[in-house]
Amino acid sequence: MNRDQHGSAPQGEDEKLLHSMGYAQELSRRMSGFSNFAISFSIICILAGGITAFPAGISAGGGASIGIGWPVGALFASIVAAAMAQIASAYPTAGGLYHWSSILGGKGLGWVTAWINLLGLIFVVASVNFGVYDPFFKTLIAPLLGINPDHLTWTEQTLFLAGITLSQAWLNHLGIKLTTRLTDMSGYLIFAIALLLTVSLLAYAPGPLDFSRLFTFTNFSGVDGGTWPKTDSSLMLFLSGLLLTVYTLTGYDASAHTSEETHQAAHNVPKGIIRSVLWSALFGYILICTFVLVLPNMQAGVKAGMGFFDLLLSSLPPALKALLGIGIFLVNYLCGLACLTSTSRMMYAFARDGGLPFSHQLKQVHPVHRTPGLAIWVSAILAIVATLYGDAFTVLSAGSAVFLYISYILPTTAGLFAEGKSWTHKGPFSLGAASKPIALLATIGGAILAFVGVQPPNEKVLYLTIALLVVLLFFWFVLGVRKQFKGPPVGERIQKHQAHIREIENALDKTA
């Protein structure tokens, strides 16, 4: 049974809150506040996006794309995160963004949000695991194993990606308790390895540090090995450089997707969203600024493309380089693990309301492990299929960022118009009078970040986005999905949910 229509009364305030929204507690609620933060922090993973997307930053406006561009992009991301956190506090359910859009903007908007968010999450799993292989396995691990990276073909790449993705699915299948332990460990590892990498690069820097690099704008568009085609527009170059921030500071919706597995979700989920972005923004900035400062030559770094990281590590002692290589490889693997957790929960939640083909099967929860087993394995298989495309990383990384940010701003915009009307009561985390201004800024900022992701040479992402929207509209209006799809419980049940929130808050006030 999925919607708790005639089951026994749930236990605990989290379960009561979920019950008031029309759902039974099926998943295992084992995650602490730190674990909820850690899963988003692990997906953001500055040692994944911060490294693999770094060439997109410096090959736009040089050091200024890092020193100035990262704080600007991080500010946008933080505003979007704050707006999402407020809605997550009011409606802490798995599949978060889909539910928020449905409740605040109608089931049609929710259905579109669900598909865009789900595709973005599948692309995230695929792009992160692609990054685990290239550059991290090929550059750092393969030489340690005596493997010549030049001899690795598409076949080895496909087998590797399939192997690690299926292993992540198996770990997820075994239960949230194991997954939580691994993502908790990942959170600590990211802090530790990022600190070790930063200190090591500074300690073995080949020459004096030139901090003016961080604020010097240099047009590297059109340079061999660079990401961006030749342009004379400084504004477009600066915006293009934001792709580094967009790709890195994304995926924090994982805190919302694991709401039904988190204790005190209405309190801990918004904290997880905001803290994961703020800590990643801070440590990520320190890390990538270090990259700029210790590069022997900026133009050589641009021409090297993804080879820039090997240039950075070349000054380190072999033993230290090997230690860092193993650590970075491990945290990137755990990043993919967390991504798959988030994707499977989104798929489970959408299927629970009948939004997917074979929804009845995809919404099933394993009776022992209490995980959405089939949703996990289907998510993994779809991610593997996505990596079969030859130009995978460029399209997958840009596509994941674009789709996720579109899915972030849809419920945020819906909340902007619903606040004070259909949305009259918020959760424990509220932005107060700043709510609407932040929602407006989040919509504008999210739209800018999504716009960045479809600029040449990533125009394939634009074509894919347009094609997806056309297909969705065709299914919704022409094939009659709007008549068949009921969406999540809304109306009377949501009113009961809001009344129940007030009861909980009043009880807490009396206790205090």
Side-chain angles (χ1 to χ4, degrees):
M1 180 175 65
N2 291 299
R3 295 188 181 182
D4 196 358
Q5 297 172 335
H6 48 269
S8 59
Q11 300 298 313
E13 294 303 330
D14 284 308
E15 288 80 0
K16 288 179 182 178
L17 194 57
L18 183 61
H19 180 75
S20 71
M21 297 186 69
Y23 296 110
Q25 180 69 53
E26 294 187 302
L27 303 175
S28 180
R29 200 176 286 272
R30 291 179 172 270
M31 297 179 72
S32 64
F34 176 81
S35 297
N36 186 272
F37 152 81
I39 194 167
S40 283
F41 187 68
S42 297
I43 291 178
I44 294 174
C45 190
I46 56 176
L47 292 168
I51 295 174
T52 55
F54 182 77
I58 60 168
S59 63
S65 289
I66 309 302
I68 302 173
W70 179 276
V72 171
L75 177 61
F76 280 150
S78 299
I79 291 172
V80 173
M84 286 172 56
Q86 178 176 242
I87 306 175
S89 183
Y91 307 109
T93 63
L97 294 97
Y98 146 66
H99 284 113
W100 308 341
S101 288
S102 299
I103 294 167
L104 301 173
K107 68 176 185 178
L109 183 65
W111 187 78
V112 170
T113 302
W115 279 106
I116 294 174
N117 185 237
L118 185 57
L119 186 58
L121 290 169
I122 290 169
F123 275 21
V124 165
V125 177
S127 63
V128 168
N129 283 346
F130 201 96
V132 171
Y133 175 76
D134 187 5
F136 300 120
F137 176 77
K138 288 180 68 174
T139 302
L140 303 175
I141 303 301
L144 294 176
L145 300 175
I147 301 172
N148 186 344
D150 296 333
H151 294 164
L152 296 173
T153 65
W154 181 87
T155 301
E156 284 82 14
Q157 170 183 298
T158 301
L159 291 174
F160 181 93
L161 291 173
I164 61 171
T165 307
L166 292 175
S167 69
Q168 291 162 345
W170 177 246
L171 291 171
N172 265 289
H173 182 87
L174 294 178
I176 192 63
K177 184 177 182 180
L178 174 61
T179 305
T180 296
R181 286 178 176 174
L182 292 171
T183 52
D184 284 356
M185 180 181 72
S186 175
Y188 291 115
L189 277 175
I190 291 170
F191 280 121
I193 295 171
L195 179 61
L196 178 60
L197 177 60
T198 301
V199 171
S200 299
L201 291 175
L202 292 174
Y204 290 94
L209 305 181
D210 181 6
F211 286 89
S212 67
R213 280 186 176 186
L214 296 172
F215 310 101
T216 301
F217 184 88
T218 308
N219 187 341
F220 282 122
S221 65
V223 173
D224 290 341
T227 304
W228 308 104
K230 182 64 180 177
T231 178
D232 294 323
S233 172
S234 298
L235 176 61
M236 283 308 303
L237 271 179
F238 181 78
L239 291 176
S240 297
L242 293 180
L243 182 62
L244 164 62
T245 318
V246 177
Y247 177 61
T248 305
L249 299 181
T250 194
Y252 43 87
D253 51 323
S255 290
H257 291 312
T258 53
S259 293
E260 294 178 28
E261 294 159 281
T262 302
H263 292 293
Q264 295 184 300
H267 293 270
N268 287 326
V269 169
K271 290 178 183 178
I273 292 173
I274 293 175
R275 288 173 180 174
S276 64
V277 173
L278 294 180
W279 281 111
S280 296
L282 175 61
F283 278 83
Y285 188 53
I286 295 171
L287 182 67
I288 61 173
C289 283
T290 301
F291 292 169
V292 173
L293 293 174
V294 302
L295 269 175
N297 180 279
M298 286 293 291
Q299 188 157 354
V302 173
K303 288 183 177 180
M306 277 310 307
F308 90 94
F309 196 58
D310 204 32
L311 285 178
L312 288 179
L313 298 183
S314 62
S315 62
L316 304 184
L320 179 57
K321 181 179 177 180
L323 176 63
L324 287 168
I326 294 170
I328 292 171
F329 177 81
L330 179 59
V331 295
N332 275 267
Y333 175 85
L334 294 174
C335 173
L337 175 75
C339 291
L340 190 58
T341 305
S342 182
T343 306
S344 64
R345 272 46 175 188
M346 172 60 212
M347 184 174 289
Y348 156 78
F350 196 26
R352 182 170 57 180
D353 292 327
L356 292 169
F358 307 104
S359 284
H360 179 73
Q361 291 77 22
L362 290 169
K363 70 181 181 181
Q364 298 301 318
V365 174
H366 194 281
V368 177
H369 303 307
R370 296 184 67 185
T371 54
L374 185 60
I376 292 171
W377 291 104
V378 170
S379 299
I381 291 170
L382 292 175
I384 292 170
V385 171
T387 63
L388 299 179
Y389 174 54
D391 193 23
F393 184 75
T394 301
V395 174
L396 291 174
S397 59
S400 65
V402 169
F403 289 146
L404 287 184
Y405 268 95
I406 291 175
S407 70
Y408 293 172
I409 63 177
L410 288 177
T412 300
T413 305
L416 175 64
F417 291 101
E419 186 171 344
K421 298 174 183 177
S422 60
W423 184 21
T424 57
H425 192 81
K426 298 173 184 175
F429 177 80
S430 174
L431 295 171
S435 178
K436 286 191 175 182
I438 286 178
L440 178 61
L441 289 173
T443 301
I444 296 171
I448 291 173
L449 296 180
F451 171 76
V452 167
V454 299
Q455 297 309 299
N458 296 321
E459 61 271 17
K460 292 178 182 177
V461 176
L462 176 61
Y463 305 151
L464 184 60
T465 304
I466 294 173
L468 175 64
L469 292 175
V470 170
V471 170
L472 290 177
L473 291 173
F474 179 79
F475 271 81
W476 185 254
F477 290 105
V478 179
L479 297 186
V481 172
R482 63 193 173 108
K483 297 178 181 179
Q484 302 166 10
F485 178 63
K486 296 180 179 180
V490 292
E492 183 180 350
R493 281 183 175 173
I494 293 303
Q495 291 174 6
K496 290 181 180 178
H497 159 72
Q498 293 177 336
H500 189 67
I501 290 178
R502 287 192 289 269
E503 291 176 5
I504 293 173
E505 290 179 342
N506 290 334
L508 290 174
D509 289 341
K510 290 179 181 178
T511 302

